[in-house]
């Protein structure tokens, strides 16, 4: 029962994963490659297979299927079945003999795909020479297999990890069982009559890796401000559940080699259940020792203190942990035996939870592998804090395939006809809103559960779905715990008051101490008290003891945070509880609209059927017309919330106006006065996120209008004349692709994309790729271009997978070898990639880097100047905070000897920005640059300031930069003005409105002599 959202991999439900057979794979690969080499040698034609030589001796297979390759082997006197082909290809990919190219064209085709694209670098084009090179004894296959085994040996496995007489594996298993959080099924299947075999409803759940994309290369106007600190992510690759466990967790594929992983998702996406699955999978496969920490339980403690003072004491079941036991425990970390499973960063009491986590992964704790879960909105708000984490997003279900499959399996053993009626009702055209709503796993489970026990119709909003569930839940409990309507109303109201107070807490919002609950619900020992009733019914559940309490006070939680938010929404009668603006003294006002933890509550409130339309209209109007008195820095945030809100309040009179504005911000508009396209960077990225969470039907209407505008021949001509780099096609492609996402069969969007494909040249998208892809794959290739491709990062991460440990002398020798290698020599790229791997996050690389910088500064040789540039580039990868490096970089920037050589200063300030995050000395230095120079070469210090800001530095930056947002500054130096504006916007996203307002007016107080 505990793994309700454990979604399986593969098409066969009994299948738990695909295991590679390397012995059979060797024979299969030899047959396959002999057939492919013969096929290319004879220049054969086939609709199922396209392959040719590229770049000399690199064999590219640009289109193939397992069935087509199986037929190909038959044509050359051998025969392999499709599954044998799959095993051969996966073995070759795993051994890194061939490069899997599916992710470069279509993010959706890599896992369980029908189409296979790959490349293999041979020593020649001679078939027999190539096969001998690969498959002879001690040939390339054997070398790669041996290297793989050696690499696997580095993965710490703990068959029976014991120290100090403690079986750590057994203890970690017991602690995992003990610390399992309450999952959805315990409420959904509270009664025996509702239980059934959960294996029957497993549906694949995809995780998506998101990387920072390559930035746009066209000219940027002053209004666009700084791009440097704007967090942005693009989908790179999708994984099915089992593939993720095997490739990322077990094999350590990716830029962090599985050491730093963040799982982000919307409420109810199954983050905690996914983390539980990972924890037990690690344990059961002997990959290490999984230690679970619900981050809400830290209660202000550091991770290190919590591990020693709470986790270890509970695990060993002792009153006091001995020093030798603590040391043995720390040694497990130092020896890379431990996986830390950090659940629900969004439930921490900190205003900047990710920054706090980043600061705590130090000392012996830093050696642990870390998997962390977090809600998307909290992750995006603090994205830079854990930039070294590789980010994977739990996706929603796809409609109709996965949603209908879930429904079918839910009702398979009980009332299948009822499940079919639900699918039919859901599939009606007017149900588009609820179709989108139930792509979320939790909400789909709630819908199935309520549909199973009721004949009510489908709700239109999230609030409606939760309302149905609450009503049905009381009916299900009627036999065991009968309650009157008055009791239900009183309990709902009390739970709402409790939830509202909890969400407002500075300490944990989802861990409620006994005394705190008792203040609202009475004494749980008194039968029929609201506290007693909430526990009996299951609305509240005991989840542990307060670690900081000497009396071991009990701690409770709602069974899922989303229901705590729903009850809080029920307790709000007046929208002024979300926003009560006091313009001249915000400290007296209420500004929950800017608090991330209140966003879901606000959306649920807007979806309440019992809340009057007039009140909702007033609230939306208050958001849209919010006058922050701070140059609209908070007005944008209020407007974005209004756009989210109309997805729940669809009848809003201003919905069309709001959606039109968001679409304009997302894609820009044609400025007839300037005869050019006006963009709204960096609002465009945020707006493109918002349009997916607002009224989708209205978004489609606006996108169609925009598509027609972009196709206007005169407008396209003017854009082509005024802008370079196929700017008109890029805009057209963005709009058409987004429209296709919202309306997959939209004829106009498909037509536009086909025209772009047919008219493609080497600049827009290389025809070499497009001509050999299916239409869906061609669309993905264009998507990567118009939304800025992330392939360079992917190539880099592949090149840097293997571990490297190098001495000080070797690092210096490698750097100095660069000036003796010609640019055209491939060895130069290999050396640079090796250096990047060595220095990234490695404090031991600091002394040799400093030595190279000092020696280069003393020399006037051009070759040494080149080494200085390279050393400064490597500084950015080392990590933050080294005082000596910071001092040297400041010296370089201040040195008048480099006054004419802006490139050196630009490299230096970029490096300083990378290692000076949160450093007050760096902050003061950059502020000084702003006051005096304004620019370092072509680098804006204001943009650099936005990157390094953390904690109290935000308010200091506001106090400093606010005086520059004047019309006179804008007229004299627009670029500087907008750099200041967007840096302040970044501050506004990380500060409460009253705190920002106070910092903004700090200069006024100074002028007044206060």
């Amino acid at each position: 029962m505990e793994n309700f959202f454990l979604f399986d991999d593969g098409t066969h439900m009994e299948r738990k994963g695909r295991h590679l057979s390397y012995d059979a794979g060797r024979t299969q690969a030899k047959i396959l490659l002999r057939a492919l080499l013969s096929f290319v040698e004879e220049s054969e034609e086939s609709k199922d297979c396209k392959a040719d030589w590229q770049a000399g001796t690199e064999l590219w297979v640009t289109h193939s299927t397992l069935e087509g390759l199986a037929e190909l082997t038959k044509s050359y006197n051998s025969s392999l079945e499709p599954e044998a082909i799959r095993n051969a290809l996966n073995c070759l990919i795993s051994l890194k003999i061939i490069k899997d190219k599916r992710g470069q064209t279509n993010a959706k085709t890599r896992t369980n795909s029908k189409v296979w694209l790959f490349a293999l670098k041979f020593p020649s084009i001679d078939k027999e020479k190539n096969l001998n090179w690969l498959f002879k004894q001690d040939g390339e296959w054997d070398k790669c297999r041996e290297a793989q085994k050696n690499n696997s040996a580095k993965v710490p496995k703990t068959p029976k990890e014991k120290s100090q007489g403690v079986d750590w594996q057994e203890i970690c298993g017991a602690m995992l069982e003990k610390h399992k959080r309450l999952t959805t099924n315990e409420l959904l299947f509270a009664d025996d009559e509702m239980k059934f075999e959960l294996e029957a409803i497993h549906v694949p759940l995809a995780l998506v890796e998101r990387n920072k994309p390559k930035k746009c290369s066209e000219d940027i106007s002053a209004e666009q401000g700084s791009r440097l600190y704007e967090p942005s992510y693009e989908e790179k690759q999708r994984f099915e559940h089992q593939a993720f466990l095997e490739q990322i967790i077990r094999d350590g594929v990716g830029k962090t080699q599985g050491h730093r992983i963040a799982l982000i998702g919307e409420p109810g996406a199954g983050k905690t259940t996914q983390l539980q699955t990972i924890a037990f999978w690690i344990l059961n496969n002997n990959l290490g020792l999984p230690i679970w920490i619900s981050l809400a339980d830290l209660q202000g403690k550091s991770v290190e203190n919590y591990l020693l003072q709470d986790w270890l004491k509970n695990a060993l079941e002792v009153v006091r942990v001995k020093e030798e036991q603590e040391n043995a425990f720390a040694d497990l970390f130092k020896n890379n035996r431990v996986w830390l499973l950090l659940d629900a960063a969004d439930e921490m009491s900190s205003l900047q939870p990710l920054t706090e986590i980043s600061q705590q992964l130090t000392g012996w704790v830093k050696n642990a592998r870390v998997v962390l879960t977090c809600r998307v909105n909290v992750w995006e708000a603090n994205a830079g804090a854990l930039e070294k984490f590789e980010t994977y997003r739990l996706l929603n279900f796809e409609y109709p395939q996965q949603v209908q499959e879930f429904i079918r399996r839910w009702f398979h053993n009980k009332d299948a006809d009822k499940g079919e009626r639900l699918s039919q009702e859901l599939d009606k055209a007017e149900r588009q809103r609820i179709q989108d709503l139930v792509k979320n796993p939790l909400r789909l489970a709630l819908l199935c559960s309520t549909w199973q026990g009721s004949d009510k119709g489908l709700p239109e909003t999230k609030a409606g779905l939760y309302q149905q569930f609450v009503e049905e839940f009381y009916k299900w409990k009627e036999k065991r715990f009968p309650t009157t309507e008055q009791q239900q109303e009183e309990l709902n109201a009390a739970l709402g008051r409790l939830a509202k107070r909890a969400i407002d807490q500075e300490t944990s919002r989802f861990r409620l101490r006994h005394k705190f609950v008792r203040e609202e619900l009475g004494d749980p020992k008194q039968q029929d008290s609201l506290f007693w009733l909430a526990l009996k019914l299951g609305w509240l559940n005991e989840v542990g003891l307060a670690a900081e309490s000497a009396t071991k006070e009990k701690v409770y939680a709602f069974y899922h945070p989303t229901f705590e938010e729903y009850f809080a929404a029920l307790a709000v009668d007046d929208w002024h509880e979300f926003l009560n603006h006091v313009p001249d003294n915000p400290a007296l006002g209420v500004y929950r609209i800017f608090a991330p933890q209140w966003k879901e509550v606000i959306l649920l409130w807007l979806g309440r059927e019992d809340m009057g339309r007039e009140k909702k209209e007033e609230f939306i109007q208050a958001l849209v017309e919010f006058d922050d008195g701070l140059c609209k820095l908070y007005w944008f945030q209020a407007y974005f919330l209004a756009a989210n809100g109309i997805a729940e309040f669809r009848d809003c009179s201003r919905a069309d106006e709001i959606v039109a504005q968001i679409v304009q911000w997302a894609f820009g508009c044609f400025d007839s006065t300037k005869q050019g396209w006006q963009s709204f960077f960096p609002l465009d990225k945020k707006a493109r996120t918002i349009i997916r969470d607002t009224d989708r039907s209205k978004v489609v209407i606006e996108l169609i209008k925009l598509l027609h505008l972009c196709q206007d021949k005169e407008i396209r001509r003017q854009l082509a004349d005024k802008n370079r780099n196929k700017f008109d096609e890029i805009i057209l492609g963005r709009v058409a692709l987004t429209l296709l996402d919202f309306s997959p069969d939209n004829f106009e969007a498909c037509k536009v994309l086909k025209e772009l494909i047919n008219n493609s040249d080497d600049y827009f998208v290389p025809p070499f790729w497009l001509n050999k892809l299916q239409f869906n794959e061609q669309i993905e290739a264009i998507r990567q271009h118009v939304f800025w491709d992330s392939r360079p990062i992917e190539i880099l991460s592949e090149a840097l997978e293997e571990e490297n440990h190098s001495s000080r002398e070797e690092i210096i020798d490698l750097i100095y070898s660069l000036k003796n290698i010609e640019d055209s020599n491939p060895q130069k790229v290999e050396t640079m990639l090796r250096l990047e791997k060595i220095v990234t996050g490695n404090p031991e690389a600091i002394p040799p880097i400093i030595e190279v910088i000092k020696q280069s500064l003393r020399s006037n040789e051009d070759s040494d100047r080149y080494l200085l540039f390279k050393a400064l580039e490597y500084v950015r990868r080392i990590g933050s905070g080294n005082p000596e490096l910071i001092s040297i970089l400041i010296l370089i920037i201040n040195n008048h000897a480099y006054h004419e050589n802006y490139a050196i200063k630009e490299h230096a300030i970029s490096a300083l920005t990378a290692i000076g995050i949160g450093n007050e000395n760096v902050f003061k230095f950059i502020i000084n640059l702003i006051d005096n120079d304004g620019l370092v070469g072509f680098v804006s210090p204001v943009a650099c300031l936005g990157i390094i800001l953390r904690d109290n530095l935000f308010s200091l930056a506001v106090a400093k930069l606010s005086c520059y947002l004047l019309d006179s500054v804008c007229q004299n130096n627009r670029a500087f003005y907008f750099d200041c504006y967007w840096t302040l916007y970044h501050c506004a996203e990380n500060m409460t409105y009253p705190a920002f307002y106070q910092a903004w007016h700090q200069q006024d107080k100074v002028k007044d002599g206060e």
Side-chain angles (χ1 to χ4, degrees):
M1 291 292 292
E2 68 272 11
N3 288 325
F4 177 67
F5 285 124
L6 175 59
F7 298 103
D8 241 337
D9 174 51
T11 53
H12 302 290
M13 297 313 298
E14 73 277 6
R15 194 175 198 164
K16 298 297 180 185
R18 187 173 293 121
H19 299 284
L20 301 182
S21 172
Y22 286 98
D23 291 338
R26 182 188 182 112
T27 303
Q28 295 160 350
K30 189 171 184 178
I31 293 171
L32 172 62
L33 292 178
R34 180 179 291 280
L36 277 171
L37 288 166
S38 300
F39 174 75
V40 175
E41 186 177 68
E42 298 173 13
S43 301
E44 294 285 345
E45 293 289 335
S46 170
K47 67 177 182 178
D48 294 322
C49 182
K50 292 182 172 58
D52 54 14
W53 294 106
Q54 299 289 333
T57 61
E58 189 166 30
L59 179 65
W60 279 67
V61 178
T62 53
H63 177 76
S64 66
T65 62
L66 296 178
E67 292 75 14
L69 292 173
E71 288 298 317
L72 187 67
T73 60
K74 292 179 183 178
S75 303
Y76 293 96
N77 302 321
S78 299
S79 178
L80 291 175
E81 293 299 316
E83 281 305 310
I85 300 280
R86 187 194 298 276
N87 183 67
L89 289 172
N90 281 325
C91 285
L92 288 164
I93 292 169
S94 178
L95 294 173
K96 300 180 182 177
I97 294 172
I98 67 174
K99 295 179 182 177
D100 190 349
K101 297 294 182 180
R102 290 170 291 169
Q104 293 190 14
T105 54
N106 185 352
K108 297 181 182 179
T109 61
R110 191 182 276 261
T111 305
N112 290 334
S113 71
K114 295 181 180 179
V115 178
W116 287 73
L117 314 172
F118 53 91
L120 194 163
K121 181 71 174 178
F122 281 112
S124 74
I125 61 172
D126 182 272
K127 176 175 62 178
E128 294 304 327
K129 284 184 180 178
N130 290 336
L131 292 172
N132 184 55
W133 164 78
L134 184 53
F135 295 108
K136 70 180 180 180
Q137 186 174 355
D138 296 326
E140 192 66 16
W141 178 285
D142 290 339
K143 292 177 183 176
C144 293
R145 184 74 177 116
E146 187 64 28
Q148 184 190 59
K149 289 178 180 178
N150 291 337
N151 192 48
S152 297
K154 297 176 184 178
V155 177
K157 295 189 178 183
T158 50
K160 276 293 178 180
E161 185 69 51
K162 289 189 177 182
S163 61
Q164 291 292 316
V166 176
D167 187 333
W168 291 107
Q169 191 165 4
E170 182 178 328
I171 280 182
C172 286
M175 289 295 285
L176 281 181
E177 292 288 350
K178 186 177 178 181
H179 285 88
K180 271 183 188 174
R181 283 175 41 148
L182 199 62
T183 50
T184 309
N185 59 289
E186 294 186 44
L187 185 65
L188 291 173
F189 309 108
D191 291 330
D192 291 337
E193 65 186 45
M194 299 178 61
K195 294 179 181 177
F196 58 92
E197 183 55 54
L198 290 176
E199 290 289 333
I201 59 168
H202 285 179
V203 180
L205 177 66
L207 297 170
V208 57
E209 183 179 354
R210 287 151 65 85
N211 274 344
K212 290 183 180 179
K214 184 176 66 177
K215 296 296 189 248
C216 172
S217 58
E218 84 272 11
D219 293 337
I220 302 169
S221 66
E223 288 83 353
Q224 290 175 324
S226 164
R227 294 180 166 216
L228 294 176
Y229 60 80
E230 177 69 13
S232 176
Y233 300 85
E234 294 289 340
E235 180 179 311
K236 179 183 175 185
Q237 183 181 347
R238 294 190 179 192
F239 296 88
E240 296 298 332
H241 174 71
Q242 191 67 24
F244 177 82
L245 292 174
E246 293 175 356
Q247 295 177 31
I248 307 303
I249 301 299
R250 184 190 66 195
D251 298 338
V253 173
K255 67 180 182 182
T256 72
Q257 299 175 36
H259 281 77
R260 293 291 184 267
I261 296 169
L263 304 178
I264 64 174
E266 301 295 342
K271 299 182 293 297
T272 296
T273 307
Q274 183 69 25
L275 193 64
Q276 288 175 351
T277 303
I278 291 171
F280 282 101
W281 198 81
I282 290 168
L283 190 73
N284 296 335
N285 286 273
N286 298 322
L287 297 179
L289 301 171
I291 293 179
W292 182 283
I293 299 179
S294 294
L295 289 170
D297 291 340
L298 291 183
Q299 295 291 306
K301 288 185 179 180
S302 68
V303 171
E304 180 177 329
N305 287 339
Y306 178 84
L307 286 168
L308 294 176
Q309 297 172 15
D310 297 88
W311 191 92
L312 187 57
K313 188 159 63 172
N314 290 332
L316 299 178
E317 297 181 339
V318 295
V319 176
R320 185 176 291 105
V321 179
K322 299 176 182 178
E323 183 178 353
E324 54 267 30
Q325 291 174 321
E326 288 186 348
N327 292 335
F329 185 59
D331 285 341
L332 296 174
F333 284 79
K334 293 174 184 177
N335 294 326
N336 304 115
R337 300 300 192 201
V338 174
W339 291 73
L340 278 182
L341 293 311
L342 306 181
D343 187 41
D346 48 278
E347 295 182 16
M348 293 177 68
S349 57
S350 172
L351 289 175
Q352 294 182 312
L354 304 186
T355 300
E356 189 170 313
I357 291 168
S358 174
Q359 294 168 347
Q360 293 186 22
L361 295 178
T362 57
W364 50 267
V365 175
K366 73 179 180 184
N367 296 303
R369 299 187 178 204
V370 179
V371 186
L372 171 144
T373 67
C374 184
R375 284 191 182 184
V376 172
N377 66 319
V378 174
W379 181 264
E380 295 293 349
N382 299 267
L386 295 175
E387 60 184 354
K388 292 180 182 177
F389 275 64
E390 198 153 29
T391 313
Y392 300 84
R393 179 165 181 170
L394 283 81
L395 300 178
N396 284 334
F397 292 138
E398 292 183 1
Y399 187 87
Q401 297 88 352
Q402 290 182 330
V403 169
Q404 291 184 351
E405 180 70 1
F406 186 101
I407 294 171
R408 184 184 67 78
R409 288 178 180 159
W410 180 288
F411 291 95
H412 177 68
N413 290 333
K414 186 175 181 180
D415 207 348
D417 290 342
K418 200 163 193 176
E420 182 62 28
R421 289 198 300 274
L422 174 58
S423 291
Q424 291 173 357
E425 183 68 22
L426 196 59
D427 207 35
K428 292 180 180 178
E430 64 269 23
R431 298 300 187 186
Q432 186 176 3
R433 170 63 187 144
I434 194 69
Q435 290 169 12
D436 186 62
L437 187 66
V438 298
K439 290 177 183 177
N440 176 280
L442 173 62
R443 293 197 290 267
L444 179 55
L446 295 181
L447 177 65
C448 289
S449 189
T450 53
W451 187 268
Q452 184 168 319
S454 167
D455 292 324
K456 285 189 174 181
L458 295 177
E460 288 292 334
T461 65
K462 283 187 284 189
L465 179 58
Y466 290 122
Q467 179 185 342
Q468 279 192 8
F469 184 84
V470 169
E471 291 173 356
E472 289 303 314
F473 180 70
Y474 281 118
K475 292 180 182 178
W476 297 330
K477 290 287 185 177
E478 188 67 31
K479 292 180 182 178
R480 191 173 300 176
F481 300 111
T483 52
T484 65
E485 286 189 12
Q486 182 179 349
Q487 283 179 309
Q488 293 171 18
E489 289 174 1
E490 289 177 357
L491 180 57
N492 290 351
L495 289 172
R497 293 192 300 272
L498 176 68
K500 211 164 65 169
R501 282 185 60 198
I503 293 172
D504 256 343
Q505 283 190 120
E506 290 185 5
T507 54
S508 175
R509 297 184 296 275
F510 299 107
R511 294 291 188 277
L512 314 178
R513 294 177 62 160
H514 182 87
K515 182 180 179 182
F516 181 84
V517 180
R518 193 179 61 196
E519 289 173 0
E520 285 293 343
L521 303 185
D523 188 349
K525 295 179 181 179
Q526 183 179 343
Q527 192 167 350
D528 294 331
S529 73
L530 294 178
F531 199 164
W532 178 86
L533 193 58
L535 290 172
K536 287 294 182 183
L537 289 170
W539 290 124
L540 292 177
N541 297 273
E542 185 179 334
V543 292
L545 301 174
E548 70 280 14
S549 171
T551 58
K552 299 300 180 184
E553 184 179 6
K554 292 181 179 180
V555 175
Y556 303 88
F558 284 82
Y559 45 80
H560 195 279
T562 54
F563 280 87
E564 180 173 328
E565 291 162 333
Y566 171 67
F567 278 113
L570 292 183
V572 176
D573 295 322
D574 185 351
W575 61 265
H576 287 93
E577 292 189 47
F578 300 132
L579 172 62
N580 183 26
H581 190 24
V582 183
D584 297 328
N585 192 356
L588 300 178
V590 176
Y591 299 95
R592 287 175 173 142
I593 61 170
F594 302 123
Q597 69 268 28
W598 279 95
K599 178 180 176 181
E600 199 67 21
V601 178
I602 291 170
L603 298 183
L604 289 165
W605 183 86
L606 283 165
R608 282 174 54 184
E609 295 178 1
D610 62 334
M611 185 54 58
R613 176 193 174 98
E614 185 178 343
K615 289 183 179 181
K616 296 180 187 179
E617 290 280 6
E618 288 176 0
F619 181 50
I620 294 294
Q621 181 174 338
L623 293 175
V624 171
E625 298 179 359
F626 179 69
D627 182 5
D628 58 17
L630 302 171
C631 297
K632 296 190 174 182
L633 290 165
Y634 279 84
W635 173 74
F636 285 119
Q637 295 183 49
Y639 204 100
F640 285 143
L641 182 59
N644 288 140
I646 61 173
E648 295 297 305
F649 177 31
R650 300 186 70 198
D651 297 331
C652 177
S653 62
R654 304 188 70 163
D656 292 339
E657 164 200 339
I658 292 170
V659 171
Q661 179 64 80
I662 296 295
V663 170
Q664 185 181 95
W665 283 337
F667 299 99
C669 61
F670 183 72
D671 188 331
S672 57
T673 305
K674 297 180 180 179
Q675 298 296 296
W677 197 261
Q678 181 180 355
S679 298
F680 297 94
F681 185 90
L683 284 177
D684 55 351
K685 290 185 176 66
K686 179 70 174 176
R688 284 202 293 271
T689 301
I690 296 296
I691 62 173
R692 300 182 184 279
D693 297 318
T694 188
D695 189 327
R696 296 169 73 90
S697 61
K698 295 186 185 301
V699 170
V700 169
I701 293 171
E702 291 300 322
L703 287 173
I704 291 173
K705 290 180 186 177
L706 187 56
L707 192 68
H708 291 163
L709 178 69
C710 292
Q711 289 177 281
D712 184 278
K713 291 182 179 179
E714 180 59 23
I715 289 177
R716 289 193 66 180
R717 183 192 64 77
Q718 292 180 29
L719 289 176
D721 290 344
K722 194 174 182 66
N723 298 279
R724 300 171 294 167
N725 300 349
K726 299 281 185 178
F727 192 65
D728 58 323
E729 292 188 1
I730 289 173
I731 295 170
L732 193 58
R734 286 180 178 177
V735 176
L737 283 166
T738 307
L739 179 56
L740 205 62
D741 288 340
F742 281 76
S743 179
D745 298 322
N746 188 278
F747 173 77
E748 291 183 79
C750 291
K751 181 182 176 183
V752 166
L753 289 169
K754 286 178 180 177
E755 288 175 357
L756 289 177
I757 292 166
N758 294 334
N759 296 332
S760 175
D761 57 26
D762 280 325
Y763 176 78
F764 191 67
V765 182
F768 165 73
W769 275 108
L770 288 181
N771 294 340
K772 302 187 179 184
L773 301 177
Q774 302 298 317
F775 178 60
N776 287 342
E777 295 167 328
Q778 291 173 329
I779 287 175
E780 292 303 320
I782 291 179
R783 184 190 304 279
Q784 289 187 347
H785 179 81
V786 300
F787 287 113
W788 316 117
D789 186 9
S790 59
R791 278 174 283 179
I793 292 176
E794 177 184 341
I795 293 168
L796 176 64
S797 66
E798 288 176 0
L800 303 181
E801 278 179 12
E802 296 183 7
E803 287 192 18
N804 252 313
H805 300 284
S806 299
S807 67
R808 173 177 171 277
E809 291 73 19
E810 185 180 357
I811 293 173
I812 293 174
D813 290 343
L814 282 171
I815 295 176
Y816 273 95
S817 71
L818 291 174
K819 67 179 181 180
N820 300 319
I821 307 175
E822 295 291 332
D823 289 344
S824 58
N825 189 337
Q827 186 184 349
K828 189 159 196 169
V829 176
E830 292 175 10
T831 303
M832 291 166 64
L833 290 175
R834 177 164 168 71
L835 273 167
E836 288 173 3
K837 172 58 183 172
I838 291 170
V839 304
T840 300
N842 180 12
E844 295 177 4
I846 293 174
I849 292 288
I850 289 176
E851 185 171 333
V852 171
I853 291 174
K854 287 180 176 179
Q855 290 180 10
S856 300
L857 289 174
R858 289 193 291 265
S859 171
N860 292 320
E861 296 292 329
D862 289 342
S863 58
D864 287 325
R865 192 57 49 85
Y866 166 76
L867 291 183
L868 176 59
F869 288 145
K870 297 307 298 180
L872 291 173
E873 287 179 10
Y874 295 138
V875 166
R876 283 179 274 184
R877 298 178 175 274
I878 288 176
S880 60
N882 183 268
E884 187 176 4
L885 264 178
I886 288 173
S887 297
I888 291 173
L889 294 173
I890 290 175
L891 186 66
I892 293 173
I893 298 167
N894 279 337
N895 197 325
H896 291 288
Y898 304 117
H899 184 70
E900 299 300 326
N901 196 332
Y902 288 121
I904 292 177
K905 291 193 172 190
E906 288 172 356
H907 277 68
I909 195 167
S910 296
L912 181 65
T913 302
I915 70 170
I917 294 172
N919 188 291
E920 289 194 24
N921 290 330
V922 175
F923 174 83
K924 292 174 183 176
F925 175 71
I926 294 178
I927 289 294
N928 186 57
L929 288 176
I930 294 170
D931 287 339
N932 293 288
D933 300 323
L935 286 174
V936 177
F938 292 99
V939 176
S940 164
V942 182
C944 297
L945 188 70
I947 298 173
I948 71 160
L949 295 178
R950 295 290 186 274
D951 303 325
N952 66 311
L953 297 184
F954 283 111
S955 59
L956 295 176
V958 172
K960 181 63 189 175
L961 297 182
S962 59
C963 62
Y964 292 119
L965 289 199
L966 303 172
D967 290 341
S968 58
V969 175
C970 185
Q971 291 169 7
N972 294 327
N973 192 339
R974 288 175 63 82
F976 176 70
Y977 175 89
F978 281 104
D979 276 347
C980 291
Y981 188 91
W982 293 119
T983 300
L984 286 166
Y985 181 81
H986 178 52
C987 294
E989 289 184 309
N990 288 275
M991 295 176 66
T992 66
Y993 176 71
F996 189 100
Y997 184 93
Q998 182 180 9
W1000 178 278
H1001 290 284
Q1002 193 66 38
Q1003 290 291 337
D1004 296 339
K1005 292 182 180 180
V1006 172
K1007 291 175 184 176
D1008 294 338
E1010 293 184 32

